[in-house]
């Protein structure tokens, strides 16, 4: 090695193949090292700081969360996030600022905090920070310059700047951080941000920190920290509006506990409220949604202490706690789709929420825990709480966004929760199945109506139960009332059910029984009663999906979405299927009331069982 260094001719082979955009300062240092044998630093600052810009935050919100994390950990009770959009439309610039009222940093701490790896909490697993990089990498992920201002008394502000351009062009081998600068006021650019409304949201919605600069020195807290990233070149959205909307949606959920405990968090001068995807917190936003009767999920079960080894096969264990909720499906199912989708975010795959030291690090579908993504899963929620000692088990990375749980950890949790999760999914399935039948309030289905009208044209009539005397009529009504009670839909009154049953010759019922054939026929008091089994694949794979298509299309009619043609097609198919079954029911009813019916009864019974089994076998084959 030393031979090579001493022989300039040989070192020619090791010419660096750097790209043209590579930092000049870094090139100079590297060449000096190669040619002159200079000492090699552990980190080549000029290049490394540029590479760190690509650490990979999912989006601007998760980068800003690093700063909010720091403010929270420092003990701030008010945090203001700003997306300051300025300049002409189409060519505007956005600055990002985060201001807190925490204790601030003394100058030497500020200096340490600016260095990569510099931290006051390094490897401390009980709080949010532990890696010593968040503030720097998150800022550089958004823009090339980070300015930090921190004060522990008014008008004594220390500031430091990290400027990627400047660092990259430095020609020294070892880049050192300068001393913090002492200032008696915040820079005017920052003062403007705090005193003028942002481009978004509407001015009336903004609660400014101060109305003018004189006011500002009073309003700004005695101690605090300001993170300022001017002229960001790498934001996930272009406008202040989308940036603020995304940050609001995410942070209201990510920091729900802190918000619930009173943290005042503003985004572009608008205070944000907690959003709880488990719908348990009664201080969360959903409680105020109009028309919401139930505001709280049902806690199905909780496992406060699930012991998980910190690494696979390790003897050292940490404790996770898990809670399983079922949303109030009975009272929410019929809410307008807009409320369900936008206000309650029900279809946003927010099934499993991972909370690390009280701060959400991930939310999503985790098939190992929640089961596969499916309409039956929409109504369940899992919340997994853990502390930093389980970071390895849950796969928490340096940027604290997302988890990548190890299989062994998921296996342990699943063992505890799986039966209850299945129960919730089953309950949802049953509810949804039952709800399909009650789609049309106290009305006959089209199929029931058509079947009845077509009776006049059928070759063989059904036996008539018409009463001839008043007394007979009373007795019949009495019997029909009793029958109505058993056929009552959940949204019908006794009288509604009686009226419906009295006027219809065809009735469809639903029943959920995994051990039962897919249909059943009964003929009582002159009524053809068809029962469809919602547990059979005939229902889950054909009837229910078809009725969903029909219902969806019906709904979209009102919105002016789908053209009427498509809607008619969906419900026509469903009606056709229902008539297939009603005609079967009619035929059986008719044959059973004719001569020789005793033989038929056994035959129909066998046919029903055999047909159901063979249909089940076939349908199950088509399932992936
Ligand atoms: N708003 C703030 N108020 C007070 N101190 C802060 C603030 N922001 C950062 N610091 C200090 O700066 C240090 C470095 O922050 P940084 O986010 O880079 O690392 P960390 O929070 O320690 O770890 P992590 O990389 O896990 O976030 C922190 O340890 C903290 O001492
Ligand atoms: Mg941090």
């Amino acid at each position: 090695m030393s031979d090579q260094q001493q022989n300039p001719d040989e070192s020619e082979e090791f010419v660096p193949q750097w790209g043209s955009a590579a930092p000049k300062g870094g090139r100079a240092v590297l060449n000096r090292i190669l040619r002159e044998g200079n000492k090699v630093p552990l980190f080549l600052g000029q290049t490394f700081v540029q590479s760190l810009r690509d650490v990979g935050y999912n989006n601007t919100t998760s980068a800003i969360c690093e700063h909010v994390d720091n403010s929270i950990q420092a003990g701030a009770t008010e945090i203001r996030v700003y997306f300051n959009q300025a300049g002409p439309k189409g060519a505007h610039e956005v600055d990002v600022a985060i201001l807190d009222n925490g204790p601030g940093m003394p100058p030497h701490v500020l200096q340490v905090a600016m260095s990569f790896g510099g931290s006051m909490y390094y490897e401390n697993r009980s709080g949010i920070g532990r890696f010593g990089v968040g503030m720097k990498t998150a800022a550089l992920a958004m823009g090339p310059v980070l300015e930090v201002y921190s004060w522990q008394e008014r008008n004594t502000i220390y500031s430091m700047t990290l400027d990627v351009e400047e660092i990259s062009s430095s020609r020294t081998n070892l880049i050192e951080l300068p001393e913090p600068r002492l200032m008696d006021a915040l820079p005017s650019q920052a003062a403007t941000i705090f005193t003028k409304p942002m481009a978004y949201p509407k001015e009336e919605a903004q609660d400014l920190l101060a109305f003018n600069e004189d006011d500002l020195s009073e309003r700004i807290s005695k101690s605090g920290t300001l993170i300022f990233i001017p002229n960001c070149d790498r934001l996930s959205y272009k406008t202040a509006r989308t940036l603020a909307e995304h940050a609001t949606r995410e942070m209201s959920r990510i920091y729900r506990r802190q918000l619930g405990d009173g943290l005042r968090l503003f985004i572009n001068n608008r205070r944000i409220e907690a959003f709880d995807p488990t719908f348990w917190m009664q201080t969360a936003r959903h409680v105020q949604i109009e028309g919401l009767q139930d505001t709280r999920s049902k806690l199905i079960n909780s496992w406060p202490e699930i012991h998980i080894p910190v690494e696979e096969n390790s003897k050292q264990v940490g404790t996770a706690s898990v809670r399983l909720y079922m949303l109030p499906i009975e009272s929410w199912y019929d809410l307008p789709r807009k409320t369900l989708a936008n206000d309650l975010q029900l279809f946003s795959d927010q099934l499993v929420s991972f909370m690390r030291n009280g701060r959400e690090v991930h939310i999503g579908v985790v098939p190992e825990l929640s089961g596969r993504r499916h309409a039956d899963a929409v109504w369940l929620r899992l919340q997994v709480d853990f502390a930093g000692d389980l970071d390895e088990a849950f796969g928490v990375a340096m940027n604290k966004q997302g988890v990548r749980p190890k299989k062994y950890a998921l296996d342990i949790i699943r063992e505890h929760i799986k039966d209850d999760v299945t129960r919730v999914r089953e309950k949802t399935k049953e509810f949804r199945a039952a709800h399909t039948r009650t789609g049309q309030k106290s009305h006959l289905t089209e199929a029931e109506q058509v079947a009845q009208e077509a009776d006049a044209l059928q070759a063989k009539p059904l036996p008539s139960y018409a009463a001839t005397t008043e007394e007979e009529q009373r007795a019949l009504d009495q019997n029909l009332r009793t029958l109505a009670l058993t056929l009552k839909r959940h949204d019908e009154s006794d009288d509604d059910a009686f009226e419906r049953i009295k006027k219809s010759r065809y009735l469809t019922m639903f029943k959920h029984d995994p051990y039962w054939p897919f249909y059943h026929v009964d003929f009582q008091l002159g009524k053809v009663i068809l029962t469809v089994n919602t547990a059979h694949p005939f229902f889950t794979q054909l009837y229910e999906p078809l009725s969903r298509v029909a219902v969806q299309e019906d709904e979209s009619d009102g919105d002016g979405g789908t053209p009427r043609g498509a809607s008619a097609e969906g419900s026509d198919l469903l009606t056709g299927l229902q008539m297939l079954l009603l005609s079967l029911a009619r035929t059986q009813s008719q044959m059973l009331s004719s001569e020789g019916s005793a033989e038929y009864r056994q035959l129909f019974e066998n046919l029903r069982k055999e047909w159901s089994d063979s249909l089940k076998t076939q349908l199950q084959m088509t399932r992936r």
Side-chain angles (χ1 to χ4, degrees), residues 545-559:
L546 199 54
S547 58
R548 211 164 33 200
V549 173
V551 169
Q552 266 172 14
E553 286 165 347
D554 276 359
E555 280 173 356
S556 62
D557 267 3
D559 290 344

Side-chain angles (χ1 to χ4, degrees), residues 66-67 70-71 73-74 100 103-105 109 113 118-122 128-136 225 227 398 400:
E66 287 275 16
H67 299 290
N70 287 341
S71 299
Q73 190 155 15
D100 74 42
M105 290 175 260
V109 171
S119 170
M120 301 304 278
Y121 317 108
Y122 194 75
I128 303 179
R130 75 162 254 223
F131 296 104
V133 294
M135 179 174 89
K136 288 75 68 171
T225 300
I227 306 289
M398 196 167 80
K400 294 179 225 98

Side-chain angles (χ1 to χ4, degrees), residues 601-618:
R601 192 169 297 279
Q602 198 50 51
L603 177 70
F604 292 160
E605 207 43 35
N606 290 344
L607 176 75
R608 191 167 75 96
K609 286 205 188 89
E610 299 293 330
W611 184 13
S612 287
D613 287 346
S614 92
L615 180 62
K616 188 187 238 168
T617 310
Q618 288 182 359

Side-chain angles (χ1 to χ4, degrees), residues 276 279-282 284-289 292 295 332 344:
D276 179 10
F279 303 106
W280 184 255
M281 290 172 58
Q282 292 299 292
R285 196 166 68 214
H286 74 271
V287 174
Q288 297 155 27
I289 295 174
L292 217 60
T295 55
W332 288 10
L344 295 167

